[in-house]
Amino acid sequence: MLLADVAATSVALAATRSRLAKRALLVDLLRSAGPDEVPVVARYLAGELRQRRTGLGWRSLAAMPAPAAEPSLDVLVVDAVFERMAQLAGSGSALARSALAAELFAAATEPEQRLLRGLVTGDLRQGSLDALLLDAVAEAAGVPPEAVRRAAMLAGSTELVASAALGAGSPQETLAALGEFGLTVGRPVRPMLAASAPDVPAAVSGFASRRVVVDAKLDGIRVQVHRDGDEVRVFTRSLDDITARVPELVAVVRALPVRTVVLDGEALALDPSGRPRPFQETSARSATSDAEVAAGTELHPFFFDVLHVDGRDLLDAPLLERLAVLDAVAGGHLVDRVVTDDVVVAQAAFSRWVAAGQEGVIVKDAAAPYDAGRRGGAWVKVKPRHTLDLVVLAVERGSGRRSGLLSNIHLGARDASSGGFVMLGKTFKGMTDEMLTWQTRRFGELAVEDDGWTVRLRPEQVVEVAFDGLQRSSRYPGGFALRFARVLRYLDDRSAAEADTIETVRALAQPREP
């Protein structure tokens, strides 16, 4: 398949807001791709390269050759070039990478160059999200979307599932191929996610059955731990393997009274009194295997779900059934919880845990299965303040004491219909000196344009922001601005596709019924 075909589809995707029209475009292109091309095409349709890092920056992209007159690039050739770039390291690698990029861009037409720049910078903005792509895969293969979504959940990969679905043949053969993706101990699954509610009564009232499980929401890092005999692996929310960095978590799970198990939970650092230490300390500890850091900051696991134990898959079991198994398996390492049908009891738990230094609560449907990879209504988080997970779109150079640093960040909510982002304001509040130093380095890596004052970024970095409220504003395209926004923390385990949407912001601005 020519890259020009993908570029034309990308342009058409960006030109329509209709999900049905977008899905039809995706289906047409997926059906045209050969079996070996599907993984690459699927990833490009999702707006991403298969290679997580290419080493290309905005400066090198700005100096590319003029476009070719006629299309000639094959998608597999393009993928191979990016793979070669990603493998380059050491002396001379920057020069070799630039030469490969120049040769690639010289062979690309103008629409293909736009596509390549968007894939490299992460700023394609074509509105082709992973959930929509999975639905398109299902339609192209002639199978129910639920089968594709479940396979993607268990595989932890859209491209693997797309290859299986579109290379199997008949719908019956496709369903059989998708059925091969079972829960495999040692292979991470996409984690179940929580929606948001403004307070505990709203969260509890959102369930048809008032009986709920209320978990303390810990301010740690999400971990999914797999054990098969003595072999233990620890994965993050983004499915990265951090086993070598967290030997204390490995030791805890290796000592549990089971042979095989898959656990979902949080890990965090505690002070001598048992209160959580600042999130930055937990995050730093999980990001390095440095012996000095490890000695000074021990992580403690707290589990809130179990997906498998000793040959028995529990994904489809009701939550209360899973919790009974969890209590028997990991009773000494559990997140605090209450099971109740009384909103007063749930509110009291919220107040108690927040006073103890926790982040809030997650209210869960007691009868719900584990619906991995989806932010549905079965889990709802409540925090004691207004917070949003937003994407940093740009950053301004600091002045005065912050001279030489990148300081004031531009905040954007995700627009699910277009795939772009809607700006909600700026802030420089809440940033420690360490955070300013970190973000100056980080945003230099994400820069795509610099006018000397404002640096526009690839929309990748997610930041958790607290704010006092929303006010209507004609200054920003979403119609709202955040009041007194301040940075709480940067969320390195979340992608821009998981950021809060402009629809969530608008819902928060609506007056609540008495």
Side-chain angles (χ1 to χ4, degrees):
M1 175 179 285
L2 289 176
L3 185 67
D5 297 327
V6 183
T9 298
S10 177
V11 170
L13 287 168
T16 179
R17 296 176 66 89
S18 166
R19 284 181 61 87
L20 287 177
K22 287 179 185 291
R23 190 173 69 194
L25 289 165
L26 295 171
V27 168
D28 286 345
L29 193 67
L30 288 169
R31 284 175 172 165
S32 301
D36 54 344
E37 296 168 334
V38 166
V40 180
V41 173
R43 187 64 72 91
Y44 288 4
L45 290 175
E48 302 171 341
L49 291 173
R50 295 212 301 166
Q51 297 74 24
R52 299 187 70 171
R53 296 186 181 276
T54 64
L56 291 177
W58 68 271
R59 292 183 187 279
S60 55
L61 290 177
M64 288 296 108
E70 297 293 333
S72 62
L73 287 172
D74 181 271
V75 292
L76 294 180
V77 171
V78 173
D79 181 62
V81 172
F82 281 122
E83 188 63 30
R84 288 171 63 191
M85 290 185 199
Q87 298 300 322
L88 289 170
S91 176
S93 60
L95 189 62
R97 189 177 293 110
S98 295
L100 285 171
E103 183 180 357
L104 178 63
F105 273 75
T109 62
E110 194 274 332
E112 290 172 319
Q113 285 195 356
R114 286 204 311 269
L115 174 67
L116 291 173
R117 284 193 177 91
L119 291 171
V120 170
T121 63
D123 194 20
L124 200 55
R125 302 195 180 200
Q126 60 188 10
S128 175
L129 300 177
D130 189 66
L132 183 61
L133 181 59
L134 289 175
D135 286 349
V137 169
E139 183 175 337
V143 297
E146 294 79 12
V148 174
R149 292 188 200 125
R150 184 175 178 85
M153 167 188 84
L154 295 169
S157 165
T158 294
E159 61 189 86
L160 285 178
V161 171
S163 292
L166 297 172
S170 70
Q172 292 76 18
E173 292 170 326
T174 300
L175 288 173
L178 294 175
E180 293 297 316
F181 291 100
L183 193 157
T184 300
V185 177
R187 183 176 68 191
V189 303
R190 295 180 177 182
M192 188 167 179
L193 305 175
S196 298
D199 53 41
V200 171
V204 172
S205 66
F207 295 106
S209 169
R210 293 294 293 273
R211 194 175 191 209
V212 295
V213 174
V214 185
D215 281 352
K217 188 179 189 307
L218 308 187
D219 194 14
I221 59 164
R222 184 83 173 262
V223 290
Q224 186 181 124
V225 188
H226 293 235
R227 175 184 170 187
D228 186 0
D230 286 336
E231 180 71 21
V232 177
R233 299 180 69 186
V234 184
F235 301 94
T236 65
R237 173 193 172 106
S238 54
L239 310 188
D240 292 321
D241 190 332
I242 59 168
T243 306
R245 306 175 198 165
V246 288
E248 65 269 51
L249 303 188
V250 172
V252 166
V253 175
R254 191 173 280 153
L256 296 178
V258 291
R259 175 162 182 79
T260 61
V261 71
V262 178
L263 298 161
D264 194 359
E266 293 269 335
L268 70 162
L270 303 174
D271 68 16
S273 70
R275 291 179 66 89
R277 299 183 68 85
F279 174 78
Q280 287 75 15
E281 294 186 28
T282 294
S283 179
R285 173 65 184 81
S286 64
T288 180
S289 54
D290 183 273
E292 289 187 18
V293 175
T297 311
E298 182 182 2
L299 293 182
H300 300 265
F302 295 88
F303 299 112
F304 52 73
D305 219 325
V306 57
L307 314 185
H308 173 96
V309 64
D310 287 339
R312 179 187 174 196
D313 288 346
L314 296 164
L315 287 167
D316 297 323
L319 175 58
L320 286 181
E321 183 178 329
R322 301 199 306 275
L323 292 180
V325 175
L326 179 65
D327 290 350
V329 168
H333 305 279
L334 301 177
V335 167
D336 287 337
R337 68 169 180 266
V338 298
V339 180
T340 184
D341 58 3
D342 188 338
V343 69
V344 174
V345 173
Q347 181 65 54
F350 173 85
S351 301
R352 182 170 67 253
W353 292 331
V354 169
Q358 304 303 351
E359 199 178 20
V361 298
I362 298 184
V363 182
K364 302 178 178 179
D365 183 344
Y370 191 94
D371 197 4
R374 294 175 63 83
R375 194 187 296 276
W379 290 10
V380 181
K381 60 186 175 184
V382 181
K383 299 181 182 181
R385 58 200 167 193
H386 294 299
T387 66
L388 288 168
D389 296 345
L390 301 175
V391 177
V392 183
L393 305 179
V395 61
E396 296 171 2
R397 299 189 182 281
S399 57
R401 193 176 72 85
R402 296 188 177 188
S403 226
L405 298 170
L406 295 178
S407 175
N408 201 10
I409 58 175
H410 296 200
L411 302 166
R414 182 166 56 86
D415 185 342
S417 62
S418 71
F421 298 89
V422 180
M423 188 172 173
L424 295 171
K426 311 175 186 180
T427 190
F428 56 83
K429 297 183 182 299
M431 299 172 182
T432 63
D433 290 343
E434 292 79 7
M435 193 179 290
L436 283 164
T437 300
W438 177 87
Q439 71 183 40
T440 298
R441 182 180 68 253
R442 168 66 169 158
F443 294 154
E445 298 169 351
L446 298 180
V448 296
E449 187 176 297
D450 186 351
D451 65 8
W453 176 252
T454 301
V455 181
R456 191 166 67 88
L457 308 177
R458 296 199 305 270
E460 292 182 9
Q461 183 62 55
V462 180
V463 60
E464 185 179 17
V465 175
F467 59 101
D468 289 354
L470 292 162
Q471 61 187 32
R472 295 194 176 275
S473 172
S474 58
R475 182 177 181 183
Y476 299 116
F480 295 98
L482 305 179
R483 295 182 67 247
F484 305 111
R486 54 211 178 270
V487 172
L488 293 178
R489 56 178 176 165
Y490 285 102
L491 303 170
D492 292 331
D493 61 347
R494 304 192 191 181
S495 69
E498 295 180 280
D500 285 309
T501 67
I502 187 62
E503 288 304 318
T504 296
V505 175
R506 290 169 181 152
L508 289 174
Q510 296 300 316
R512 294 185 56 221
E513 295 288 336

